[in-house]
Amino acid sequence: MTSAELSEPTEDELDVLVSIAIRRAELLVNMRSPISAEAWHEVMAYEEQLARITSSAEIAGGVARAGAVTAALAAGRRPDARRLAAQYLAEDALPSERRTVIERAIEQDAKLLAQRFPALTKRGRLGWIDELGAWRINVLANPHVFPCPA
Amino acid sequence: METVAFYSYKGGVGRTLLVANTAQFLALSGRRVVVLDLDLEAPGLLHKLGNSEVLARAASGKLPGAVDELLSTVEGQPQKQSLRKAAIEVALPTGTKGALLLIPAGSAPSHTYWAAFERLNNALKSNRPNGGLPEAILELQARIAEELDPEFLLVDSRTGITELGGLATSILADRVVCLTTAAAESVEGTLVVAQALHAAPRLSSQRPLRVDYLLTRIPSGSTRSDQVARISKVLGDSVTVLPHDSGIASEERLLAHERSTQTVRGNDDDNDGKELFSATLTWIAQAFPGHKQDAEKARHRMEAVHRTWQHLTRTTDREDGGYRSRNAWSEDRLRERVRYEKDKKWRDADIVAYDRPASDKAAKPLMIIEYVDGEDRDTVARWWLNQTQAPVVAVLSESSERRLYSGKSRWDSRAHHSDRWDIPLPGDFDTLADPTDVSVDSLLNAVRRGHAEHLDRIVTEWVHVSASTLHGGAPWKPQLARKILDTLASVDDEELARQVLWATSRHLHHRGHRMREKEGSSDELVLSDLFSPLLWRLPPKASIEILKEHGHRGMPFGAPLGMLSIGLLAHELLGLRYDPDATFRLEGQRILDRAGRSAETDDDRGLYGLAPKFRHTEISFEISLDSPPLARCETDLDEGKPRSVDLARLISDRIAARSLITTGLLGDYQARVGRVVLYETAITQCAEMLALRARHVGSVTLIHETIHALAHLGRDLDGRMWPEFSLPAADGPLFEPSWFHETLTQYFTYQHIVRLRDMALLHAFESMSNKQTPEYRAWQRLKGMPMEDARSWFMNVRRGVGVPAPWPNLMFDAIREESR
């Protein structure tokens, strides 16, 4: 197998990987692990890849698309979730039940966010929460900014 | 709302103190301010701004705070209560337009707080999506803006570069104030943080971050040093240097709102810490420009309250050459910002002083202190006097003038405005009928009631109305000076009398030390017109104690005061010079010259080898409980056996026979050892029998025997001594007084008592004299003799050249007349 073939896993392989990743992420959440968000990010990556190689009309394709959006939300990567949701909802072939799942996940997340941060919501600053995700990644990626951030 | 975070890389730089002071200043300037304590691991703002009730709630674990609010957000629980319930309203002076709310960290240091803090830490460890601390802090900031609507949010951040310290600080703030000392590690750490703050990205719609630097705890005088200049260059242009103040450093006290639990250092005067105070307020005013007039008013208020607090709690007074302890208010008897409310009207006192620890429920206010701005001070004072039971109200004002009002004159429904300029201390409430009245009469009344606390003030007053005439300008009030002297001299209690003499001598010492070269004449006046008269007029036990304690040894400088007084008596009364040290040098030199030895030989063969021979020239004083020589024993002349003498009977018999004598019975001058002795038992019994007071009989005896001693040990003004001119020793029951010595000594004793203008002493002298032998009474026929003539006659006799007529005849005639 070529390296290019190696870097492109098959649907079956991705099914296995995503199953394992989901199980791992769930366990880490139960264990209150500080790396559970990273585990969900991994799930999101597999689901996104599955969605790429499957049609939205197929059951597996629909499940993968909905899974990618919910995993992104679980990972706290709200901008990614919104981007994926917008992309998948634009696909006409997406079955209505999957479309509903994606829309509800985004709505539910927004609702939860507004509940948790009522004052920021009231002041129209809820966007700062999304920005903070990027902010944190930026800072962590540049240790010269905050040499000992946490 | 502008959010300002106060940050320091290391602790101990005065950050929390600065937050509290800035918050107060802004609130007093009319701004609405919220202070948020995010130094969660070591919260301290509560102790700077909270009152006792709040501190008690914290101690019992019932004070909600930032930790609880952050925890509920992190755990995703809905907010149950308004932030107003967690915010503590810090009391501000009556009429202040601004407001100050404190959101403490929580119930620190109670167990409840640390349990909540641990929960927060655990919650943060599990990486909840969108539930980190920065998000929670941003939400808290938004809630503060939404619910409390302040103009300024001041945040006390924790130290170090952690998520709470570094990240939260940079996200939350519009401005960061970085504090650092000049220590290398502190400066280096601050630089790292500074770079991080500048490099950290901002959220959308946030303004660029402004960073100010404060270089703190720089020793006074080093604020412009090279080191400070170097650090300033590294940190940038926006560096302000705050000087060091060890008092504030060790006590962490607020400039205008102090909460120290330690004793205030107070080795300075009321200007203690003024440099730091001034620099801090200047920085705040520049860093937060607003309405200039409001800021100036706030500054005046803080300065006035600060100075007053210093004055109340300073435990020492600076004096030339050292410090003197001061009976200051203990801090547990003081409370700040106390609100009194009655009939829906209220006022906030800046400071309240209580009669016992303020925590005691039975504590009653003794004094209310309020800074009044723009209101009628008399009206304010009347309100306090009517609404509280406090006997004293002190009103501070912008003009730096403080007025004291007393409740003593409440009968006329007007507040009495006192002339007193300083604020009363605790002792004033115990010793003065009206603590605001420090007139001479009031102070003397306190002395009459046995209080020694105001003696220094009285002595100063005496100097003011007496000695000041030497320099012109000040009012000369001889009658008042006389009144002070007579009242002090009337003190009966021996301990109080001793303190009177100490207070006078202390004043003399300090003035002497300060004015030795310039204004020594003031010292002479205090010595001659206050200390010396008191020494001879006060109960002799006290006087002798002072004479003993003022012995040569142990004196830090100058001649001992007791010796100076005796020297003054010798000079002014007898025309002699009494200075035992000079006698030692002159006479010793003479002896060594005759022996052909050098006085400078540094061993026992030199001058100091002669010291024992001259020890008796330094008059010593003693009060003895022994029997006097006349009563020690009498030998039965028939059988040659000793028999005891009944002292009371002896004195009684002698009084009846008008043969009472002073020397040998009431007192003695022991020429061989240079000692003046007063026989206490004999004096007491004699006084009882003559219906006199023992202190007066003792004083007469003391003066009489001291004159004997001076007649013996004093030198002529040309330096000659006449050691052979001395009293016969009173060595037994057969002792007979020398007619010459006793007549002369009684004459000078009378003259001295007349000069003292002490009627009680003169009465005692005359009453005693009437019961004495003719030699002791002859003064009555000689009292018209001019002092100069008496001295001249005395000098001739001392020299052994005889006495020119008509004095011997006059003396013999006087004695003969008295003998009839």
Side-chain angles (χ1 to χ4, degrees):
Chain A
M1 288 178 102
T2 63
S3 59
E5 284 169 333
L6 268 178
S7 64
E8 291 293 334
T10 63
E11 187 181 342
D12 289 342
E13 284 170 336
L14 282 170
D15 273 340
V16 173
L17 284 173
V18 82
S19 298
I20 293 169
I22 288 171
R23 180 64 184 149
R24 176 171 173 265
E26 284 172 345
L27 284 172
L28 288 172
V29 168
N30 283 342
M31 290 162 65
R32 292 177 169 266
S33 166
I35 57 165
S36 60
E38 288 172 30
W40 282 114
H41 185 208
E42 189 185 343
V43 173
M44 184 197 94
Y46 295 143
E47 297 279 29
E48 200 182 347
Q49 223 168 337
L50 265 173
R52 215 177 291 136
I53 60 173
T54 55
S55 160
S56 59
E58 297 171 24
I59 292 175
V63 169
R65 282 163 176 76
V69 172
T70 52
L73 290 172
R77 304 180 78 95
R78 192 168 292 99
D80 287 338
R82 293 220 187 92
R83 176 181 53 79
L84 292 173
Q87 180 188 328
Y88 300 147
L89 291 173
E91 295 175 12
D92 294 336
L94 189 69
S96 59
E97 60 269 32
R98 297 300 161 202
R99 187 177 296 275
T100 307
V101 168
I102 291 172
E103 284 171 347
R104 277 194 185 157
I106 294 294
E107 278 170 23
Q108 188 70 18
D109 177 69
K111 200 174 168 186
L112 279 173
L113 208 61
Q115 272 176 1
R116 179 172 283 188
F117 304 106
L120 283 170
T121 307
K122 204 171 176 183
R123 295 180 72 80
R125 297 262 166 83
L126 204 53
W128 278 4
I129 302 299
D130 288 346
E131 284 184 49
L132 264 182
W135 190 96
R136 194 180 271 115
I137 290 163
N138 186 327
V139 168
L140 288 173
N142 296 283
H144 67 278
V145 176
F146 282 104
C148 173
Chain B
M1 180 181 83
E2 180 180 352
T3 303
V4 185
F6 290 74
Y7 172 84
S8 63
Y9 177 72
K10 284 178 75 69
V13 297
R15 188 190 64 241
T16 303
L17 196 63
L18 185 68
V19 175
N21 281 322
T22 305
Q24 282 217 107
F25 183 87
L26 291 173
L28 289 172
S29 303
R31 306 303 192 96
R32 294 187 312 279
V33 183
V34 171
V35 187
L36 175 63
D37 195 347
L38 283 187
D39 187 6
L40 301 183
E41 286 190 354
L45 266 175
L46 195 60
H47 289 266
K48 299 281 184 286
L49 293 171
N51 59 26
S52 54
E53 183 261 335
V54 169
L55 291 173
R57 276 173 61 203
S60 64
K62 291 174 182 167
L63 190 72
V67 162
D68 306 281
E69 300 298 333
L70 294 173
L71 190 57
S72 63
T73 303
V74 167
E75 290 184 340
Q77 298 163 351
Q79 307 297 337
K80 287 176 189 164
Q81 63 172 17
S82 162
L83 206 52
R84 283 207 167 270
K85 291 195 174 176
I88 297 159
E89 188 177 350
V90 177
L92 291 171
T94 315
T96 304
K97 291 177 201 161
L100 176 52
L101 294 171
L102 164 67
I103 300 177
S107 298
S110 71
H111 174 73
T112 314
Y113 174 79
W114 295 116
F117 184 57
E118 184 65 20
R119 262 176 71 194
L120 180 64
N121 273 335
N122 287 337
L124 291 172
K125 278 178 193 162
S126 60
N127 194 356
R128 292 160 183 250
N130 310 318
L133 192 61
E135 289 88 346
I137 288 176
L138 281 176
E139 170 67 7
L140 181 58
Q141 184 189 32
R143 283 184 69 199
I144 289 169
E146 197 64 29
E147 296 180 36
L148 307 177
D149 191 26
E151 292 168 82
F152 286 100
L153 170 62
L154 307 185
V155 182
D156 188 13
S157 304
R158 62 157 302 172
T159 54
I161 307 179
T162 62
E163 184 159 272
L164 204 54
L167 292 180
T169 297
S170 68
I171 294 170
L172 194 67
D174 300 307
R175 188 195 315 195
V176 177
V177 177
C178 279
L179 291 93
T180 178
T181 62
E185 68 274 23
S186 187
V187 174
E188 283 169 18
T190 303
L191 277 174
V192 170
V193 172
Q195 287 165 0
L197 290 173
H198 284 300
R202 303 291 284 163
L203 300 175
S204 59
S205 78
Q206 276 188 328
R207 285 175 289 184
L209 188 67
R210 170 181 164 180
V211 183
D212 294 340
Y213 299 99
L214 277 176
L215 203 49
T216 68
R217 309 221 153 139
I218 303 299
S220 188
S222 303
T223 52
R224 294 173 192 275
S225 68
D226 291 345
Q227 187 198 13
V228 169
R230 268 199 305 278
I231 295 169
S232 299
K233 197 175 174 185
V234 171
L235 291 175
D237 294 333
S238 58
V239 178
T240 303
V241 178
L242 292 183
H244 177 74
D245 179 78
S246 59
I248 291 177
S250 62
E251 294 152 22
E252 283 291 307
R253 68 181 189 239
L254 272 171
L255 293 178
H257 197 77
E258 310 177 43
R259 295 219 167 269
S260 165
T261 53
Q262 302 172 27
T263 306
V264 172
R265 175 178 55 124
N267 56 354
D268 288 332
D269 51 22
D270 286 351
N271 289 328
D272 191 15
K274 195 177 176 185
E275 193 184 354
L276 172 60
F277 179 82
S278 184
T280 304
L281 290 190
T282 302
W283 174 80
I284 297 171
Q286 286 171 354
F288 300 92
H291 195 275
K292 199 175 176 183
Q293 203 177 346
D294 287 340
E296 275 305 302
K297 281 183 178 179
R299 183 180 182 132
H300 276 127
R301 171 182 284 281
M302 290 176 82
E303 279 177 344
V305 176
H306 168 67
R307 275 200 306 272
T308 304
W309 183 272
Q310 297 280 76
H311 176 79
L312 292 172
T313 54
R314 187 161 34 87
T315 53
T316 54
D317 271 332
R318 179 182 283 179
E319 288 191 345
D320 288 329
Y323 298 102
R324 190 150 59 93
S325 66
R326 184 171 179 267
N327 177 23
W329 289 91
S330 62
E331 295 199 12
D332 62 348
R333 288 177 66 179
L334 299 175
R335 276 278 180 274
E336 293 163 89
R337 298 279 159 74
V338 182
R339 177 165 290 184
Y340 282 83
E341 206 164 352
K342 202 164 187 180
D343 302 332
K344 294 182 180 173
K345 289 183 179 175
W346 55 268
R347 294 198 74 84
D348 285 308
D350 285 288
I351 302 170
V352 178
Y354 294 91
D355 62 346
R356 65 194 75 190
S359 55
D360 189 329
K361 284 182 181 172
K364 290 178 183 166
L366 288 180
M367 181 165 57
I368 307 284
I369 300 172
E370 187 187 344
Y371 181 96
V372 172
D373 181 17
E375 289 180 85
D376 178 57
R377 284 181 281 177
D378 292 355
T379 308
V380 171
R382 218 161 19 243
W383 190 91
W384 282 116
L385 290 171
N386 288 334
Q387 302 303 326
T388 68
Q389 296 301 312
V392 174
V393 172
V395 177
L396 315 177
S397 68
E398 195 179 347
S399 63
S400 301
E401 179 198 0
R402 42 190 174 200
R403 279 190 189 170
L404 292 182
Y405 295 83
S406 164
K408 286 287 171 186
S409 51
R410 211 179 299 170
W411 54 271
D412 67 357
S413 76
R414 292 173 64 89
H416 165 67
H417 170 206
S418 161
D419 289 335
R420 181 173 184 170
W421 62 271
D422 61 327
I423 294 185
L425 293 174
D428 296 338
F429 288 85
D430 301 328
T431 57
L432 297 176
D434 177 355
T436 67
D437 181 5
V438 285
S439 64
V440 171
D441 282 334
S442 171
L443 298 177
L444 291 178
N445 274 335
V447 174
R448 286 189 194 100
R449 288 200 303 275
H451 297 297
E453 289 85 346
H454 305 290
L455 286 171
D456 286 335
R457 200 189 276 261
I458 293 173
V459 172
T460 304
E461 192 67 28
W462 183 92
V463 172
H464 181 65
V465 297
S466 306
S468 56
T469 57
L470 294 164
H471 318 296
W476 183 48
K477 296 177 181 171
Q479 286 182 343
L480 187 57
R482 187 74 214 173
K483 187 178 185 177
I484 293 171
L485 174 62
D486 286 343
T487 305
L488 293 181
S490 69
V491 166
D492 276 325
D493 181 74
E494 281 159 11
E495 174 56 27
L496 186 56
R498 199 177 64 84
Q499 291 191 43
V500 167
L501 288 167
W502 269 118
T504 317
S505 60
R506 192 162 52 230
H507 187 91
L508 201 55
H509 267 315
H510 292 138
R511 284 185 69 81
H513 187 66
R514 187 168 61 242
M515 307 168 84
R516 192 178 299 164
E517 292 181 1
K518 291 190 289 184
E519 302 174 44
S521 51
S522 295
D523 292 352
E524 286 173 16
L525 194 66
V526 174
L527 177 70
S528 65
D529 287 17
L530 188 64
F531 180 79
S532 294
L534 287 171
L535 189 75
W536 303 118
R537 292 176 68 183
L538 283 166
K541 265 193 179 175
S543 301
I544 285 181
E545 197 173 331
I546 294 295
L547 284 164
K548 279 181 175 175
E549 288 185 19
H550 275 128
H552 271 225
R553 288 151 212 93
M555 285 298 299
F557 51 83
L561 291 185
M563 285 295 160
L564 286 176
S565 280
I566 295 168
L568 199 66
L569 183 71
H571 186 76
E572 294 190 345
L573 202 66
L574 305 175
L576 296 177
R577 184 182 290 174
Y578 174 70
D579 181 345
D581 279 340
T583 302
F584 173 52
R585 287 194 302 274
L586 287 171
E587 297 297 319
Q589 182 72 54
R590 201 168 291 162
I591 292 170
L592 291 171
D593 285 347
R594 279 202 298 269
R597 280 195 220 155
S598 168
E600 293 177 11
T601 304
D602 194 20
D603 59 27
D604 284 350
R605 289 175 301 165
L607 186 62
Y608 289 96
L610 296 172
K613 288 184 185 297
F614 288 89
R615 200 142 285 155
H616 72 285
T617 62
E618 194 172 295
I619 304 171
S620 61
F621 295 85
E622 183 184 325
I623 292 183
S624 172
L625 289 168
D626 295 343
S627 291
L630 256 65
R632 264 175 210 157
C633 67
E634 278 186 358
T635 306
D636 191 312
L637 295 177
D638 296 331
E639 298 183 9
K641 294 175 184 172
R643 59 185 173 85
S644 62
V645 170
D646 182 343
L647 181 62
R649 191 175 164 191
L650 176 67
I651 293 170
S652 168
D653 289 349
R654 284 193 171 249
I655 287 173
R658 294 189 83 189
S659 62
L660 184 68
I661 58 172
T662 303
T663 304
L665 185 58
L666 304 179
D668 197 5
Y669 167 60
Q670 299 168 351
R672 198 172 49 81
V673 289
R675 186 186 299 142
V676 167
V677 185
L678 266 58
Y679 295 106
E680 188 177 359
T681 314
I683 286 171
T684 307
Q685 290 179 345
C686 177
E688 273 178 22
M689 289 173 201
L690 293 174
L692 296 171
R693 301 188 63 184
R695 60 171 286 191
H696 294 136
V697 174
S699 291
V700 170
T701 308
L702 176 64
I703 294 168
H704 183 94
E705 299 303 338
T706 305
I707 289 172
H708 272 314
L710 291 173
H712 175 220
L713 295 173
R715 288 181 292 120
D716 291 351
L717 295 182
D718 63 3
R720 295 294 299 273
M721 276 193 80
W722 308 96
E724 299 309 318
F725 178 82
S726 181
L727 279 181
D731 53 0
L734 300 178
F735 168 74
E736 289 291 335
S738 152
W739 66 267
F740 173 81
H741 284 94
E742 297 305 342
T743 301
L744 188 72
T745 301
Q746 280 291 83
Y747 169 83
F748 284 120
T749 303
Y750 167 74
Q751 294 295 349
H752 185 54
I753 291 173
V754 167
R755 284 152 57 98
L756 290 174
R757 290 165 66 189
D758 188 324
M759 290 304 117
L761 213 54
L762 186 61
H763 172 68
F765 176 74
E766 288 174 341
S767 301
M768 288 165 68
S769 173
N770 282 336
K771 301 296 178 189
Q772 291 189 297
T773 54
E775 301 84 20
Y776 281 89
R777 299 199 301 269
W779 66 271
Q780 294 175 34
R781 297 177 185 281
L782 299 172
K783 64 184 177 186
M785 180 168 65
M787 285 260 285
E788 264 326 301
D789 290 348
R791 282 194 202 112
S792 157
W793 174 62
F794 167 64
M795 292 297 171
N796 283 329
V797 175
R798 255 169 66 100
R799 289 204 301 271
V801 297
V803 184
W807 298 118
N809 290 340
L810 192 61
M811 275 192 73
F812 283 127
D813 289 349
I815 295 170
R816 199 178 307 121
E817 283 296 312
E818 286 300 322
S819 306
R820 278 184 190 164

